[in-house]
Amino acid sequence: MSALILKMTGRDRQLLVLLATGSLIVMTGGVIAPIFPEIVTDLDLSPALAGYLVSSHFLTVAIFSPILGILADRLGQVRILVVSLVFYALFGMAGGLMQSFLPMLITRGLVGAASGGIAAASLGLLVKMYDSSEERSQAIAYVSSVLTVSNIIYPVLAGLVGGFHWRLVFCLYGLALPLGLLVVLTLQPKKGLETSSSESSVKANNSDQLIQALKNPFILQIFLTLCLTAATAYAVIIYLPLYLKATMNSTTVLNGIVLASQALGATAISAFGVRRLVQRFGLISTIGCGFGCMALPLMIIPQLQDLVLLFPTTIIFGVGLGIVVPSLYNLLSNLAPSEYQSSILAAGTGANFLGQFLCPSLFGLVLSDQGLIGVFYVAASLPLMLGLLMLVNFRGEILNEPRSRSVPKG
């Protein structure tokens, strides 16, 4: 292992540090869900009200990712990343000391805000490390894979630590501090990952260019696509276990395995398949294919009565999600002017988390009117619609060329 580390290039080490810091975005909520029942019991909370302890960070990530992305472009991504990691650790660990609902809710919101800074700065640094669209696509796919795996690892880790006492789980947020030290040691401004103060000054005087870029209809469409894609993916996480319980009397273990199979599909295709698909078919066609892979399983699930067929179906859905999300971020990085990449990518991250936050409200209306089966059919229609809009609106655009860095006029 030590020999392997010594053979790694400086950029490889930087990538590993960014992947590790990016995984903390998943930890924000992932370590709370397993200990949620204990929090409700010990603090004597209403389960309905306490649910905001698990979901409130989605909203603050959505709000603060764009804001901190703009600051990262102006002040430097490394600075924002280190500060965000420090506050992430402090606010996260403070949550374990809270004795009532409101103080804990405030710390949860602040951790979400710090997560927005981590997402904005780390993604901005990542895309600056690679010149070609193919390399960026592969790097973003690695991020998607790490986040997917982290969605499995962090809840398990929290469950193990929570077995001693639920308050100890909040100590896991302290992992951000050594990661902050690694960022300082490996991601130095002199390595070309930061902008100079003179460049930052120029950016500060060109806010109109950022606003103009954010008004670009192609960028706005990607924001909406990321939002609705995230809402669809989160709907599966929420409503698939309910459907399996109602139709197959599934256990919590089975539900976990089914959701893990989805994560397995997303991880495999993100790490090993997205780059080849983009090389062969182009970015837009690859995204359309991914949306098709998302929609088909959602139409099939309500017809399934056999568990044997359920697993390949959810794996295919994960494959589609693993194609779509990194490809959308790659497309967004191609659209973004280089000096505003952190700002625009952070806004995309905000749209993603906003979709997760809005998911229970959007699909809750469908559930009350059409039932669980209706949820899956509506969820299937969204990827089909989004994929069709991508193919129609982006067809023939320069965006389909991997090395394009220009922003087409709307």
Side-chain angles (χ1 to χ4, degrees):
M1 178 63 71
S2 59
L4 179 61
I5 294 175
L6 290 174
K7 291 180 180 179
M8 294 174 63
T9 65
R11 192 167 70 166
D12 291 334
R13 285 189 284 270
Q14 291 171 352
L15 176 60
L16 286 178
V17 171
L18 289 175
L19 291 176
T21 56
S23 73
L24 297 180
I25 303 169
V26 173
M27 182 195 283
T28 306
V31 298
I32 295 299
I35 60 172
F36 179 66
E38 284 73 18
I39 294 176
V40 172
T41 301
D42 282 11
L43 300 185
D44 193 24
L45 304 177
S46 162
L49 189 64
Y52 288 104
L53 295 176
V54 181
S55 64
S56 61
H57 72 280
F58 289 137
L59 182 59
T60 51
V61 171
I63 292 172
F64 282 90
S65 289
I67 296 172
L68 294 173
I70 293 172
L71 288 177
D73 278 329
R74 294 185 176 182
L75 303 179
Q77 284 88 1
V78 171
R79 292 186 185 93
I80 295 299
L81 181 55
V82 172
V83 171
S84 297
L85 287 167
V86 171
F87 281 119
Y88 180 93
L90 295 179
F91 293 140
M93 291 188 291
L97 303 176
M98 301 299 107
Q99 302 295 326
S100 59
F101 171 75
L102 186 58
M104 184 174 286
L105 181 66
I106 292 173
T107 63
R108 300 301 303 151
L110 291 172
V111 171
S115 297
I118 294 172
S122 60
L123 194 55
L125 285 166
L126 186 74
V127 297
K128 287 181 181 296
M129 288 171 56
Y130 301 94
D131 295 326
S132 74
S133 177
E134 293 176 4
E135 289 181 320
R136 284 194 305 275
S137 178
Q138 186 62 61
I140 294 173
Y142 286 147
V143 173
S144 180
S145 299
V146 168
L147 293 181
T148 302
V149 173
S150 298
N151 263 316
I152 301 172
I153 294 175
Y154 282 133
V156 172
L157 182 60
L160 294 174
V161 176
F164 296 95
H165 197 283
W166 64 267
R167 291 188 183 274
L168 294 176
V169 171
F170 288 85
C171 295
L172 294 175
Y173 291 107
L175 292 172
L177 293 177
L179 285 175
L181 180 60
L182 284 176
V183 168
V184 172
L185 294 175
T186 60
L187 300 173
Q188 297 297 329
K190 64 182 180 180
K191 296 183 183 296
L193 294 176
E194 289 278 27
T195 55
S196 66
S197 58
S198 61
E199 288 175 322
S200 297
S201 176
V202 171
K203 292 175 190 176
N205 295 324
N206 290 330
S207 298
D208 289 344
Q209 294 182 14
L210 173 60
I211 295 173
Q212 189 64 29
L214 289 172
K215 288 182 178 179
N216 185 281
F218 294 105
I219 289 178
L220 291 176
Q221 181 178 339
I222 295 175
F223 288 163
L224 178 62
T225 303
L226 281 167
C227 181
L228 295 179
T229 300
T232 303
Y234 208 59
V236 173
I237 294 174
I238 294 174
Y239 297 109
L240 182 56
L242 295 177
Y243 178 78
L244 295 178
K245 179 67 176 179
T247 59
M248 302 182 187
N249 195 29
S250 63
T251 64
T252 55
V253 174
L254 177 62
N255 291 338
I257 294 174
V258 170
L259 294 178
S261 68
Q262 170 193 320
L264 178 64
T267 302
I269 194 68
S270 295
F272 306 111
V274 172
R275 183 176 182 177
R276 292 184 176 88
L277 288 172
V278 172
Q279 288 175 333
R280 185 173 180 84
F281 301 108
L283 201 48
I284 304 304
S285 298
T286 297
I287 293 172
C289 176
F291 276 127
C293 290
M294 288 179 63
L296 182 61
L298 293 174
M299 291 186 287
I300 292 175
I301 285 174
Q303 317 301 324
L304 292 179
Q305 301 295 326
D306 192 341
L307 284 174
V308 175
L309 298 176
L310 179 64
F311 291 103
T313 304
T314 53
I315 288 174
I316 292 173
F317 177 82
V319 166
L321 188 64
I323 292 172
V324 167
V325 173
S327 298
L328 285 174
Y329 276 108
N330 188 24
L331 180 58
L332 195 58
S333 72
N334 286 347
L335 275 167
S338 58
E339 63 269 29
Y340 297 117
Q341 279 185 335
S342 288
S343 302
I344 293 176
L345 289 171
T349 301
N352 189 312
F353 278 94
L354 182 63
Q356 295 181 57
F357 179 77
L358 294 176
C359 172
S361 299
L362 296 175
F363 285 95
L365 296 173
V366 179
L367 179 65
S368 62
D369 187 56
Q370 302 293 328
L372 280 170
I373 292 179
V375 167
F376 286 100
Y377 286 136
V378 171
S381 68
L382 282 177
L384 290 176
M385 177 188 68
L386 294 172
L388 181 61
L389 287 174
M390 291 292 296
L391 291 173
V392 169
N393 292 342
F394 287 82
R395 184 178 56 188
E397 292 293 337
I398 194 171
L399 295 175
N400 230 347
E401 296 298 326
R403 297 183 184 277
S404 170
R405 303 291 299 162
S406 62
V407 180
K409 295 180 180 179

